[in-house]
């Protein structure tokens, strides 16, 4: 089975779609992408987590369920932050390419029942 893989052209900035086979290593694709910079930006991620935690707390303080919709989830980091912050459920929405990776990362999380893919 072949899949399409979107890559940003560093010269033009446009996204080019390439066809890859089922043995393509998506983990390396993410490691080489801009996701790696964002994933390792501790200050940025802490600020996102604090904001998500505050938003989830406000909803829960009203006695309501905290449901989160993460459109363009990418690596799923913010979705997992939402669940860690106490969200009752998080819908992580992304293109099929990255959805093949997210379940593997999700499987390593003890929050699995609260994250929908």
């Amino acid at each position: 089975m072949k899949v399409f893989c979107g890559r940003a052209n560093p010269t033009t900035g446009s996204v080019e779609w390439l066809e890859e086979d089922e043995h393509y290593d998506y983990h390396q694709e993410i490691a080489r992408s801009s996701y790696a910079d964002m994933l390792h930006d501790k200050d940025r991620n802490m600020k996102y987590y604090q904001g998500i935690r505050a938003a989830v707390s406000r909803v829960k303080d009203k006695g309501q369920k905290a449901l989160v919709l993460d459109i363009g989830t990418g690596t799923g980091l913010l979705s997992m932050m939402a669940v860690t912050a106490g969200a009752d459920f998080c819908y992580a929405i992304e293109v099929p390419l990255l959805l093949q990776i997210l379940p593997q990362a999700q499987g390593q999380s003890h929050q699995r029942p609260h994250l929908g893919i």
Side-chain angles (χ1 to χ4, degrees):
M1 177 175 81
K2 300 260 183 183
V3 295
F4 284 105
C5 181
R7 291 206 183 100
N9 182 320
T11 305
T12 65
S14 65
V15 174
E16 298 172 350
W17 291 94
L18 304 172
E19 194 174 309
E20 300 287 355
D21 66 21
E22 65 270 12
H23 301 294
Y24 183 71
D25 188 352
Y26 295 104
H27 293 93
Q28 288 301 315
E29 184 70 29
I30 288 178
R32 289 188 299 263
S33 72
S34 61
Y35 288 124
D37 290 340
M38 291 186 295
L39 290 172
H40 295 291
D41 187 341
K42 186 174 181 175
D43 292 334
R44 172 191 174 274
N45 293 334
M46 185 54 68
K47 287 181 173 98
Y48 270 112
Y49 181 68
Q50 290 169 345
I52 291 168
R53 189 177 59 209
V56 168
S57 292
R58 279 194 301 271
V59 172
K60 293 248 187 199
D61 289 347
K62 294 178 185 176
Q64 300 172 343
K65 281 190 170 190
L67 302 177
V68 175
L69 176 61
D70 182 7
I71 299 174
T73 194
T75 63
L77 178 64
L78 298 180
S79 295
M80 288 185 267
M81 284 182 183
V83 172
T84 301
D88 294 293
F89 198 86
C90 180
Y91 295 91
I93 311 295
E94 185 55 83
V95 294
L97 179 71
L98 291 176
L99 285 179
Q100 295 176 19
I101 299 167
L102 191 56
Q104 294 169 12
Q106 178 191 16
Q108 297 170 3
S109 170
H110 67 282
Q111 307 291 344
R112 185 180 176 108
H114 302 286
L115 184 61
I117 300 173

